[in-house]
């Protein structure tokens, strides 16, 4: 397909920032402005930021900026902390002061740039795909291993050191710093009313110019991709390894929750991975799933056992093993692991696999018939 | 109404809970409890409350909790 030339994308986070003073907000003001802005978390979960702030059980807790970026297809937090580190630190200072935090931490994953601050405790933590999950981050800050905890007691009630803990993605914090300076109405002036503001998108895969771009929520997928000059493609993995495929026929879809819902996708952390028309989608998905299975923290039975089985079955399908029961078995396994772990890893892996079988249903038939001649990702 | 919560980081598939609460829990391919309703934390009908409490106390890994959170 032909992509139209990019229209002007909105630059806020990645624009040069004026060094205007940051207001000092109390918690009521912060919650009110976060609510008015409609800001949702930019780390993947998409949870309303105001609701998270309201859930914080008390003062004297811990605020953590999450820049772990354990998703290999994401670079947006690294780019944000290279281009506009002050915005992320401002967001941390703003929230830390408002909630009366005794500790304000910026948690950097292994591949993130160096950040220095006099006011924020900057820590370099060990990484891995699940290390950025909220409870795994809390565990690591408590000198434990970077593995998730049972989420029954929320970290906003009992987190780091047993204290109420607020974990916010680095990009979410940067948006808060801009909202503090320019106001909620300004934030809402781009993007759909139910999902306002901009997001950072990491475009990768079969494109001439991979990289990070900022665009309003609700921008068309094709417009964001055009900035990276995609080669002919069959589908785009939206939301990363825990995401879902949008087929090329739907490349005009808007990047917001209601538009992506029919594909089982969400903007998530803004990952857009382009699959070449020359690459077999089942080989790609099997490779991703095998990688995800190896990323299990090894704590929860259904994840330890189910993800390798899921990856094996999908790999057999990708290898054109002539077994017509494979799709049903893969679907059974992806349903079997869903909702049965301490973190979102089995659910996210199941989402990718389920999407693969739905979006590439015709291609699955080709594989069972032994007819696919496409190779791995290129 | 209470719900039955499994702490998957503790559960080792010992199987005591699935024996005590067959109405709520089946066993998966690997011996771990599997909610029959498909709910993440299945709701416990009033008539099964005592069995559920027994299961919570019987679990050798203390992996079960009765909760009141809505999910």
């Amino acid at each position: 397909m032909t992509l139209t030339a990019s229209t002007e994308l909105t630059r806020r986070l990645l624009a040069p920032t004026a060094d205007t003073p940051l207001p000092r907000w109390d918690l009521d003001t912060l919650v009110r402005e976060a609510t008015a802005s409609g800001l949702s978390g930019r780390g993947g979960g998409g949870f309303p930021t105001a609701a998270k702030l309201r859930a914080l059980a008390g003062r004297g807790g811990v605020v953590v900026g999450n820049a772990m970026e354990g998703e290999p297809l994401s670079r947006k937090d690294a780019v944000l902390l290279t281009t506009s580190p002050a915005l992320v630190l401002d967001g941390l200072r703003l929230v830390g002061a408002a909630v009366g935090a005794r500790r304000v931490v910026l948690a950097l994953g292994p591949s993130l740039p160096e950040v220095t601050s006099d006011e924020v405790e900057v820590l370099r933590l060990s990484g891995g795909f699940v290390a950025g999950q909220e409870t795994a981050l809390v565990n690591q800050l408590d000198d434990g291993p970077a593995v998730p905890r049972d989420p029954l007691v929320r970290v906003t009630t009992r987190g780091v050191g047993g204290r109420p803990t607020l974990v916010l993605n680095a990009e979410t914090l940067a948006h808060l710093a801009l909202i503090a300076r320019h106001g909620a109405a300004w934030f809402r002036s781009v993007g759909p009313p139910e999902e306002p503001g901009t997001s950072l998108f990491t475009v990768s895969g079969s494109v001439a110019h991979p990289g990070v771009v900022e665009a309003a929520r609700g921008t068309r997928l094709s417009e964001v991709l055009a900035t990276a000059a995609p080669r002919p493609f069959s589908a785009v993995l939206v939301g990363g390894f825990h995401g879902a495929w949008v087929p090329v026929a739907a490349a005009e879809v808007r990047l917001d929750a209601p538009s992506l819902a029919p594909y089982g996708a969400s903007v998530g952390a803004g990952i857009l991975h382009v699959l070449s028309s020359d690459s077999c989608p089942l080989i790609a998905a099997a490779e991703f799933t095998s990688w995800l299975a190896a990323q299990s923290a090894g704590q929860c039975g259904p994840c330890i056992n189910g993800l390798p089985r899921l990856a094996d079955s999908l790999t057999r399908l990708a290898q054109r093993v002539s077994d017509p029961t494979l799709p049903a078995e893969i679907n059974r396994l992806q349903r079997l692991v869903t909702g049965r772990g301490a973190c979102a890893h089995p659910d996210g892996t199941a989402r990718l696999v389920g999407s693969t079988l739905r979006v590439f249903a015709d291609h699955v038939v080709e594989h069972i018939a032994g007819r696919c001649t496409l190779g791995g990702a290129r | 109404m209470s719900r039955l919560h499994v702490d998957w980081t503790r559960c080792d598939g010992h199987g005591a809970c699935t024996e005590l609460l067959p109405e709520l829990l089946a066993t998966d391919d690997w011996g771990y409890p599997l909610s029959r309703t498909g709910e993440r934390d299945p709701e416990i009908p009033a008539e099964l409350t005592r069995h559920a409490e027994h299961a919570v106390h019987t679990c050798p890994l203390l992996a079960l909790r009765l909760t009141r959170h809505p999910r």
Side-chain angles (χ1 to χ4, degrees):
Chain A
M1 68 170 292
T2 324
L3 289 170
T4 50
S6 167
T7 56
E8 188 65 27
L9 299 177
T10 311
R11 284 166 73 86
R12 288 178 165 182
L13 297 168
L14 301 182
T17 40
D19 198 15
T20 55
L22 187 72
R24 195 178 168 86
W25 280 354
D26 60 17
L27 183 57
D28 285 347
T29 309
L30 177 62
V31 169
R32 192 180 63 235
E33 294 301 310
T35 305
S37 73
L39 175 64
S40 59
R42 299 310 203 230
F47 196 67
T49 304
K52 213 180 221 187
L53 290 166
R54 275 194 294 267
L56 193 68
R59 300 181 73 79
V62 181
V63 175
V64 183
N66 187 350
M68 296 300 290
E69 200 152 57
E71 160 80 54
L73 297 177
S74 181
R75 291 283 175 278
K76 58 125 182 150
D77 291 334
V79 167
L80 177 62
L81 282 167
T82 303
T83 311
S84 316
L87 274 184
V88 179
L89 294 168
D90 283 353
L92 277 167
R93 286 164 52 215
L94 177 84
V95 175
V99 307
R102 66 162 51 198
R103 213 179 147 190
V104 180
V105 179
L106 176 61
L108 298 175
S111 58
L112 277 285
E114 209 58 58
V115 177
T116 53
S117 170
D118 295 333
E119 293 171 79
V120 170
E121 188 184 341
V122 181
L123 295 177
R124 176 78 59 182
L125 302 184
S126 39
F129 191 75
V130 300
Q133 299 249 1
E134 191 171 81
T135 60
L137 196 42
V138 166
N139 230 13
Q140 194 172 174
L141 290 170
D142 274 342
D143 298 321
V147 298
R149 291 180 182 175
D150 183 70
L152 184 59
V153 178
R154 304 279 178 212
V155 301
T156 45
T157 301
R158 201 160 67 226
V160 179
R163 296 179 179 280
T165 299
L166 198 56
V167 179
L168 293 169
N169 172 254
E171 184 189 336
T172 311
L173 287 160
H175 281 298
L176 280 173
L178 288 176
I179 290 165
R181 288 197 171 93
H182 305 293
W186 168 86
F187 181 78
R188 301 187 63 90
S189 65
V190 300
E194 59 284 356
E195 209 176 324
T198 62
S199 269
L200 297 177
F201 293 92
T202 312
V203 188
S204 64
S206 184
V207 296
H209 306 296
V212 173
V213 288
E214 181 173 8
R217 288 277 173 122
T219 303
R220 292 187 189 281
L221 172 59
S222 57
E223 286 183 61
V224 178
L225 293 183
T227 63
R231 292 186 268 269
F233 62 96
S234 58
V236 179
L237 183 61
V238 176
F241 283 3
H242 278 176
W245 300 100
V246 171
V248 64
E252 298 300 313
V253 72
R254 293 189 180 278
L255 292 165
D256 56 44
S259 310
L260 290 171
Y263 304 96
S266 63
V267 174
I271 290 158
L272 304 173
H273 184 74
V274 177
L275 183 75
S276 162
S277 302
D278 298 332
S279 297
C280 170
L282 299 185
I283 293 176
E287 284 171 359
F288 296 162
T289 307
S290 300
W291 187 85
L292 287 169
Q295 295 298 310
S296 170
Q299 300 190 103
C300 306
C303 184
I304 297 169
N305 295 284
L307 266 46
R309 275 268 293 279
L310 201 47
D312 285 351
S313 301
L314 191 57
T315 301
R316 278 160 51 80
L317 186 62
Q319 290 167 341
R320 305 186 305 268
V321 172
S322 181
D323 177 355
T325 68
L326 273 174
E329 172 65 359
I330 292 167
N331 270 322
R332 183 186 77 84
L333 286 167
Q334 63 98 349
R335 281 194 301 270
L336 186 59
V337 300
T338 299
R340 299 179 66 227
C343 78
H345 191 50
D347 303 55
T349 307
R351 184 179 308 120
L352 170 69
V353 173
S355 164
T356 302
L357 293 200
R358 274 197 316 277
V359 170
F360 302 110
D362 293 347
H363 199 73
V364 166
V365 173
E366 294 294 298
H367 271 244
I368 289 170
R371 280 196 296 263
C372 171
T373 54
L374 298 173
R378 61 192 70 169
Chain B
M1 194 67 85
S2 296
R3 291 177 177 274
L4 190 68
H5 174 80
V6 179
D7 178 343
W8 293 105
T9 68
R10 289 176 180 254
C11 177
D12 209 9
H14 189 272
C17 57
T18 53
E19 281 177 33
L20 289 165
L21 287 168
E23 301 89 343
L24 278 185
L25 300 173
T27 304
D28 74 5
D29 297 24
W30 312 286
Y32 294 90
L34 177 64
S35 161
R36 286 195 189 275
T37 63
E39 292 171 285
R40 192 181 167 105
D41 293 350
E43 206 171 274
I44 303 164
E47 66 273 18
L48 292 179
T49 304
R50 288 190 54 203
H51 291 283
E53 286 167 352
H54 188 44
V56 168
H57 295 305
T58 303
C59 176
L61 291 158
L62 309 175
L64 286 179
R65 296 272 185 289
L66 296 187
T67 72
R68 295 193 172 277
H69 72 122
R71 64 173 206 196

